[in-house]
Amino acid sequence: MEGIQNPINRTVEEVFSDFRGRRAGLLKALTSDGQQFYLQCDPDKENLCLYGLPNETWEVNLPVDEVPPELPEPALGINFARNGMPEKDWITLVAVHSDSWLISVAFYFGARFGFGKNERKRLFQMINDLPTLFEVITGNAKQSKDQSANHNNSSRSKPSGVNKPRQSESHTKASKMSPPPREDDESGDDEEDDEQGAVCGACGENYDDFWICCDACEKWFHGKCVKITPAKAEHIKHYKCPNCSTSKKMRA
């Protein structure tokens, strides 16, 4: 675990960068590294915690011995509940507790570094612009208003460009590899209109050069988040994301 090494003050941007790094690490544990995370949470072991680290990695470890701890501690004993509920429900529960931990760490830093009212408000707004882990895991990550408006204007069909094959590619490859479209038909009267396109089912971000769609849950993913390159995707007929692949293995 990485705590505060010295009392040097940090800016709101630095605390947010720490938050974003820890969040990225936790998302990897709960999505692309899900199988590895599941195996490390052995119910026969002692109380275990899931830690997200500022360098976008994660670890399952015992809680620290210090009382009180240098940083707020994540939920204790997540491994004990692993076999007592469906895997998807367990992952969702861990995501909720991890969201709470991320907020507590960020505002612990805010208190320690003497953030005032305006700084705390700005920090919260920066954090709130990202979907929570729970929203990403459950597929409820907030969509932009322009995408919602397009959805209402085009019934229940998928966004344009997803189902239409390119002239030089088959329908399957076009729908699987084309990035989710960015709609420009709405001028937008709100700050949230700056959020364009769908979000990645792994990291919750909405920008990248290469995307791939899961044929099971129909969520979009950045290729780099699920370790799929454009060349590899060319040979995949039916792609299943890490979550869907893991769920199938567990049922088996």
Side-chain angles (χ1 to χ4, degrees), residues 1 21 25 28 34 37 43 55 64 71 75-76 85 87 97 119 130 152 156 168-169 179 193 225 242-243 249:
M1 289 168 289
K28 289 178 183 177
F37 168 61
N55 61 357
V64 297
L71 286 178
L76 180 66
M85 61 178 70
E87 182 191 356
H97 282 289
E119 291 171 311
L130 294 174
N152 293 332
R156 297 182 179 180
S168 60
E169 296 180 317
D193 286 347
C225 290
N243 278 345
K249 291 179 182 178

Side-chain angles (χ1 to χ4, degrees), residues 45-251:
K45 295 182 180 179
E46 298 182 48
N47 289 307
L48 295 175
C49 301
L50 172 61
Y51 295 91
L53 306 181
N55 61 357
E56 300 187 6
T57 60
W58 59 275
E59 69 175 8
V60 172
N61 211 333
L62 296 171
V64 297
D65 295 329
E66 303 146 290
V67 179
E70 188 175 11
L71 286 178
E73 284 288 288
L76 180 66
I78 57 172
N79 51 315
F80 296 147
R82 194 194 75 176
N83 294 345
M85 61 178 70
E87 182 191 356
K88 185 176 181 180
D89 293 344
W90 176 70
I91 290 290
T92 301
L93 179 63
V94 175
V96 170
H97 282 289
S98 297
D99 280 322
S100 176
W101 177 69
L102 285 170
I103 290 288
S104 67
V105 171
F107 279 85
Y108 166 82
F109 282 134
R112 176 152 183 161
F113 300 134
F115 286 1
K117 178 180 178 180
N118 291 335
E119 291 171 311
R120 293 194 303 270
K121 182 178 180 180
R122 187 153 61 94
L123 175 61
F124 178 78
Q125 288 175 334
M126 294 171 75
I127 291 173
N128 202 40
D129 283 340
L130 294 174
T132 65
L133 299 175
F134 173 80
E135 288 173 329
V136 174
I137 297 302
T138 59
N140 293 324
K142 189 174 183 181
Q143 303 295 313
S144 62
K145 283 188 175 181
D146 57 349
Q147 187 179 17
S148 298
N150 180 72
H151 175 78
N152 293 332
N153 293 333
S154 59
S155 70
R156 297 182 179 180
S157 62
K158 292 184 178 179
S160 60
V162 174
N163 282 334
K164 295 179 180 179
R166 300 174 183 175
Q167 293 181 353
S168 60
E169 296 180 317
S170 66
H171 167 82
T172 301
K173 290 183 180 178
S175 62
K176 184 180 294 182
M177 299 173 59
S178 303
R182 297 188 175 188
E183 305 296 341
D184 298 322
D185 56 331
E186 295 290 328
S187 58
D189 299 322
D190 196 285
E191 293 179 357
E192 292 180 359
D193 286 347
D194 291 333
E195 300 171 0
Q196 295 183 331
V199 295
C200 172
C203 72
E205 302 291 344
N206 62 352
Y207 53 86
D208 202 3
D209 293 330
F210 172 67
W211 298 69
I212 188 166
C213 182
C214 175
D215 290 313
C217 64
E218 297 187 352
K219 293 180 184 177
W220 286 94
F221 297 86
H222 296 150
K224 63 183 180 182
C225 290
V226 290
K227 301 178 182 178
I228 298 293
T229 63
K232 186 175 181 181
E234 288 284 350
H235 303 285
I236 299 177
K237 292 184 178 180
H238 298 285
Y239 173 70
K240 286 189 177 181
C241 68
N243 278 345
C244 293
S245 298
T246 301
S247 298
K248 182 177 180 181
K249 291 179 182 178
M250 292 305 164
R251 286 197 299 269

